[in-house]
Amino acid sequence: MNRAPGTEDLLRRHAPQVLGALVRRYGHFDLAEDAVQEALLSAAEQWPVGGVPDNPRGWLIRVASRRLTDLLRAEEARRRREETAARLAPTDAFRAPPPGESRAPSEDDTLTLLFLCSHPALSPAAQVALTLRAVGGLTTAEIARAHLVPEATMAQRISRAKQKIAGLPFRQPGPLDRDARLAVVLQVLYLIFNEGYTATSGAALHRADLAREAIRLTREVRRLLPREGAVTGLLALMLLTEGRTPARTGPHGELVPLDEQDRALWDRDAIAEGTALVEEALTGGPIGAYQLQAAIAALHDEATRPEDTDWPQILALYDLLVDGFPEPMAELGRAVAVAMVHGPRAGLGEVARLEDRLQGHHRLDAVRAHLLERAGDREGALAAYQSAARHTLSLPEARYLQMRAARLTS
């Protein structure tokens, strides 16, 4: 045994490989996932005290295999369960392979698990929760806290998701639907990151654990698929966006908008890495939505001051984005760019075109309020800020919007 820092990171790195090994060997995804979670909890309790094993992955496989055997035996009558376990288990199932032995889980297991957890039979919420647990190694309690729901509610959501995919084969999709399934995987990772970067509800603006986990998992996908431009673009987008986090909130947790942030606080290492990845993603094949969004983020991050932002180039990129990948939030971002290039009234015209699709959404009202304020319509801006504050479930966003409204009445 040897003592080593970063036990939590070590466990999360091994979690999908251990789960992949058990599912390949035994099947029973739902029970295998429970067994892996218990092995991770045992390691989290024992390793900080007794030290990390020389072969941590083998240790986890051994402990999880034993627990899975117990779970399988409890599922059916003892004799039938013992016969099935004996038939399924290889002779060395309960012996940790020594360091350097080649019988290690496939490096593709992480990607296979991501495809499985992002199966189209699951709802987006279930995909996110199952991905965080099965691939990210987070406990149900951690996922529940991140989503501000009771642990029992999250446990039911994860349990139903596991039951839905329990009978599916543990393999990557075939070439005919691989691209579509990869797009779902990336969308799930993007949803996890967005929820971490700007929480949709609750008292905190930023949930660092979710944002970091999304970046970690996207790095892993890129390691497995280094030539996929969409993967590289998504990682770049996350890094360029997360790099602004140190300046996004004030001393009391209040929201600080982009044009008011102290850019000296930005994480320049993350921004530099993201910028390099953007350049790689834009030269490596077809350009997709993530590459374009990352390029927009890079232009924001490259500006030393808000007034140095290259808004004409940002508008050109938004034109490409909404033309090739029409989506209301992208079009709302384009409306801001239009306002910055052609004036607030032009931007308001673009906002008006989104009324039907984003009616009642606080971001539509917030953008409208900002543009009305810039156009000199204080009364209209006040009403829009108040409407946005009523509709958001994020307390920091609501306080910021209320503060902007109050400034118009003073």
Side-chain angles (χ1 to χ4, degrees):
M1 306 286 278
N2 58 77
R3 296 186 181 277
T7 298
E8 182 178 344
D9 290 341
L10 186 64
L11 291 174
R12 289 185 178 178
R13 186 168 70 248
H14 286 310
Q17 299 173 5
V18 175
L19 178 56
L22 262 66
V23 175
R24 286 184 185 280
R25 185 178 298 165
Y26 301 102
H28 302 282
F29 173 88
D30 51 344
L31 295 179
E33 201 279 325
D34 287 339
V36 171
Q37 282 290 322
E38 295 200 25
L40 294 174
L41 290 173
S42 296
E45 293 174 354
Q46 297 179 34
W47 292 3
V49 177
V52 177
D54 292 331
N55 184 359
R57 183 167 56 189
W59 189 98
L60 289 167
I61 291 174
R62 175 170 55 86
V63 173
S65 294
R66 286 175 173 171
R67 180 54 183 153
L68 179 57
T69 300
D70 292 340
L71 293 171
L72 290 171
R73 285 172 177 162
E75 284 290 298
E76 301 179 18
R78 178 176 294 273
R79 172 175 286 185
R80 181 178 179 185
R81 189 63 261 131
E82 288 176 349
E83 291 174 351
T84 303
R87 184 175 69 252
L88 292 177
T91 58
D92 62 347
F94 308 120
R95 176 173 57 84
E101 188 167 325
S102 61
R103 193 184 66 80
S106 167
E107 288 296 322
D108 291 337
D109 281 351
T110 297
L111 189 58
T112 303
L113 281 169
L114 279 167
F115 279 123
L116 191 60
C117 294
S118 300
H119 195 277
L122 303 177
S123 69
Q127 291 171 339
V128 168
L130 192 57
T131 296
L132 287 172
R133 175 156 163 142
V135 188
L138 275 67
T139 65
T140 301
E142 289 173 326
I143 301 168
R145 283 197 301 271
H147 287 84
L148 302 180
V149 299
E151 184 175 349
T153 300
M154 185 56 68
Q156 290 177 352
R157 182 181 301 173
I158 293 172
S159 177
R160 287 194 296 266
K162 290 195 294 184
Q163 290 170 9
K164 278 192 174 183
I165 65 172
L168 298 176
F170 187 71
R171 61 171 181 261
Q172 293 190 24
L176 293 179
D177 65 342
R178 178 186 174 280
D179 288 348
R181 290 286 294 279
L182 177 60
V184 176
V185 168
L186 297 184
Q187 179 66 16
V188 169
L189 296 177
Y190 190 39
L191 288 172
I192 294 171
F193 176 78
N194 281 342
E195 182 61 27
Y197 186 72
T198 303
T200 54
S201 61
L205 179 70
H206 184 253
R207 293 176 190 162
D209 53 345
L210 284 182
R212 286 197 301 265
E213 187 61 20
I215 291 172
R216 185 185 74 83
L217 292 174
T218 306
R219 285 190 188 280
E220 183 68 10
V221 176
R222 182 171 183 267
R223 184 181 67 80
L224 297 168
L225 300 172
R227 297 180 183 84
E228 290 284 350
V231 179
T232 302
L234 179 57
L235 179 57
L237 175 60
M238 290 179 177
L239 291 170
L240 290 163
T241 306
E242 183 69 5
R244 306 176 200 141
T245 295
R248 288 184 71 227
T249 53
H252 304 294
E254 66 274 20
L255 171 65
V256 180
L258 180 60
D259 60 351
E260 297 177 15
Q261 291 177 12
D262 180 357
R263 301 184 178 213
L265 298 177
W266 287 358
D267 183 345
R268 289 296 168 184
D269 289 338
I271 290 171
E273 182 184 0
T275 301
L277 289 172
V278 169
E279 295 173 357
E280 177 184 336
L282 292 176
T283 58
I287 306 301
Y290 295 124
Q291 294 97 310
L292 291 170
Q293 291 179 75
I296 291 169
L299 287 172
H300 281 295
D301 290 2
E302 289 169 0
T304 305
R305 304 172 302 167
E307 55 267 32
D308 297 330
T309 304
D310 189 349
W311 283 106
Q313 183 61 26
I314 288 175
L315 178 56
L317 288 169
Y318 266 120
D319 287 340
L320 292 174
L321 180 61
V322 301
D323 182 58
F325 312 93
E327 189 273 327
M329 284 301 168
E331 294 179 47
L332 188 60
R334 180 183 176 277
V336 174
V338 167
M340 298 304 294
V341 175
H342 300 296
R345 290 296 175 187
L348 285 166
E350 299 297 325
V351 169
R353 295 186 178 93
L354 296 170
E355 286 286 353
D356 291 341
R357 284 177 290 167
L358 291 176
Q359 186 175 17
H361 197 292
H362 76 280
R363 297 202 187 283
L364 182 72
D365 283 330
V367 170
R368 180 191 290 111
H370 175 68
L371 297 183
L372 286 170
E373 184 178 4
R374 286 190 59 211
D377 185 349
R378 293 172 63 89
E379 184 176 343
L382 174 61
Y385 278 130
Q386 292 171 336
S387 176
R390 286 195 304 270
H391 285 106
T392 183
L393 298 178
S394 167
L395 294 180
E397 285 189 332
R399 286 195 294 266
Y400 167 75
L401 293 164
Q402 290 163 354
M403 179 271 293
R404 295 299 294 247
R407 281 178 15 182
L408 293 174
T409 61
S410 59

